Amino acid sequence: MTDAPPVIDRASAARPTPKPGILAIAPYVPGKATAEGIEHPLKLSANENILGSSPLAREAFASAIDQLHMYPEGRSNLLRAAIGEAYGLEPERLLFGCGSDEIFQLLNQTFLEPGDNIVQGQYGFGAYAIGARACQAEVRFAPERDYRIDVDEMLKQVDARTRLVFVANPANPTGTWITGSEIRRLHAGLAPSVVLVLDGAYAEFLSDPAFEDGASMVREFDNVVMTRTFSKLHGLAGLRVGWAYMPVEMAAAVDRIRLPFNVNIPAQLAAVAALGDIDFQTRSLALVEQWRAWLTQQIGGLGLDVVPSAANFVLVGFPRTPGKTAKEAEAYLASRGLIVRGVGGYGLADHLRITIGLEAHNRAVVDALSDFLKG
């Protein structure tokens, strides 16, 4: 005869409680996609590719329709081989994620214990901090000068409990960048136990010879990770495909906690096809290069502060004068069917981030801002 199960007083029993710090994390807030009273607004808030996605990628996505009942190949080996060939990288050093966001989370989970810390720039991408705080780690923000990573300030934040240093280059939401020599100076100031993560989500939009994407550093050192995404240049933001290049031993460690089948079949096929569509990539880059310069000049000519950008967007500063603020400008643009990104959550309440669009879109933004400032 077995003992009777204990009687639980469910009315007074404690409910499940998240671990310390979870409820203090501010959730990520994506760019808006709707505007009140506007049936089909133009979305310039998320840095998506205004040309859409590669026709080859669209065909590859459609070809997966007969495989929807199947699990994906777990290690993304088709995509692994394609990236290795396209970039001249060793396939065994590659790791794939549901967007590069998942890779940041996996790195945090792999290396952080409660009480450790990460270091990032003052205006660093929000996903780094969310993942670190979920691991009960401290997030340290290094002050930036002219909205740009300051290596000396970053190194001041590093101590014996620092495990990861995140650098987006070019950066989001500022669009600024630092040279390869500065990246190497930052690395030289880190202990071998600290992982330097180089987030290259916007790397394709920067062609300056002083830029270094980090691939050669991964080969040289045991503590450097380079990440990339298919969301920006390749226009596959909806499929969530990111990848990282890192030391073999690190890749083996991180891969142990990667959930199985994290990159789906249509995403893998579309990414391989997008990688081979050089024409689409060339057109996308040419559009950004042309209209980024034009928007910078035109918006600056209105008397607004435009931060020099190396990405597919511009960051625009507004005065604090009542009637002319960034928040009011965002609402005015929305009333004209133009959705842009308020970045107050990044500590940039006086700024708006505007994705570069087609010619008609860019001209509409400038015209609307001109009217707003005159009003």
Side-chain angles (χ1 to χ4, degrees):
M1 184 175 179
T2 58
D3 295 335
V7 177
I8 299 174
D9 182 0
R10 298 189 181 277
S12 60
R15 295 187 175 127
T17 303
K19 64 184 181 182
I22 293 295
L23 295 181
I25 297 173
Y28 181 80
V29 179
K32 296 177 181 178
T34 60
E36 187 176 353
I38 306 295
E39 187 174 359
H40 299 294
L42 173 61
K43 185 184 176 188
L44 298 173
S45 60
N47 303 337
E48 296 152 338
N49 190 324
I50 201 68
L51 295 180
S53 54
S54 157
L56 299 183
R58 293 164 63 92
E59 292 175 10
F61 177 87
S63 75
I65 193 168
D66 291 329
Q67 301 181 60
L68 300 186
H69 63 292
M70 301 171 64
Y71 286 107
E73 194 285 309
R75 285 180 53 78
S76 305
N77 281 327
L78 183 67
L79 182 55
R80 181 182 302 273
I83 288 177
E85 181 178 355
Y87 291 93
L89 304 177
E90 305 87 344
E92 64 272 16
R93 291 173 175 258
L94 298 174
L95 185 88
F96 296 87
C98 182
S100 49
D101 293 357
E102 184 188 19
I103 295 172
F104 304 143
Q105 175 72 348
L106 290 172
L107 289 167
N108 281 325
Q109 287 181 272
T110 301
F111 292 103
L112 292 175
E113 294 182 353
D116 288 338
N117 68 73
I118 71 164
V119 175
Q120 64 179 80
Q122 178 179 0
Y123 306 115
F125 181 43
Y128 313 147
I130 291 174
R133 287 174 175 142
C135 296
Q136 295 178 281
E138 178 189 0
V139 179
R140 296 184 174 182
F141 297 92
E144 297 186 16
R145 183 179 304 171
D146 297 326
Y147 309 103
R148 191 182 309 274
I149 289 290
D150 186 314
V151 169
D152 295 315
E153 293 293 342
M154 293 283 279
L155 291 174
K156 288 178 185 177
Q157 299 294 326
V158 174
D159 65 11
R161 294 299 300 269
T162 303
R163 295 291 176 263
L164 298 121
V165 173
F166 287 92
V167 177
N169 201 30
N172 174 33
T174 62
T176 59
W177 65 286
I178 60 175
T179 64
S181 61
E182 283 293 277
I183 290 290
R184 286 180 174 271
R185 187 166 74 85
L186 172 61
H187 178 265
L190 301 176
S193 59
V194 179
V195 180
L196 175 60
V197 184
L198 302 175
D199 174 3
Y202 298 92
E204 292 97 341
F205 299 104
L206 177 56
S207 58
D208 193 296
F211 173 72
E212 183 171 359
D213 65 9
S216 62
M217 292 181 67
V218 174
R219 294 192 184 97
E220 291 177 54
F221 307 108
D222 295 329
N223 63 336
V224 178
V225 175
M226 178 189 82
T227 70
R228 301 291 274 270
T229 182
F230 279 86
S231 295
K232 307 305 179 186
L233 174 65
H234 298 290
L236 299 181
L239 293 183
R240 314 305 303 126
V241 185
W243 58 276
Y245 179 60
M246 63 183 71
V248 174
E249 297 80 5
M250 190 184 300
V254 178
D255 202 41
R256 280 166 166 75
I257 62 169
R258 176 186 59 82
L259 295 177
F261 317 123
N262 61 331
V263 183
N264 63 70
I265 292 174
Q268 291 187 36
L269 295 178
V272 171
L275 201 61
D277 194 340
I278 305 302
D279 175 68
F280 180 80
Q281 295 170 42
T282 300
R283 289 189 292 113
S284 298
L285 291 172
L287 182 144
V288 168
E289 185 173 350
Q290 175 184 357
W291 292 102
R292 180 174 62 197
W294 185 87
L295 272 176
T296 300
Q297 188 272 334
Q298 292 290 316
I299 296 176
L302 297 176
L304 298 174
D305 177 33
V306 185
V307 178
S309 174
N312 67 340
F313 59 85
V314 292
L315 183 69
V316 182
F318 289 78
R320 296 182 179 179
T321 308
K324 308 298 180 187
T325 65
K327 187 174 182 179
E328 290 165 312
E330 181 183 6
Y332 182 83
L333 289 171
S335 74
R336 300 270 289 254
L338 302 167
I339 303 175
V340 299
R341 181 73 146 94
V343 283
Y346 285 92
L348 293 164
D350 297 329
H351 292 74
L352 295 176
R353 194 190 67 190
I354 305 174
T355 304
I356 295 162
L358 301 176
E359 176 177 359
H361 306 154
N362 301 325
R363 293 187 183 279
V365 166
V366 171
D367 289 344
L369 286 174
S370 177
D371 291 344
F372 167 73
L373 294 170
K374 291 175 184 175

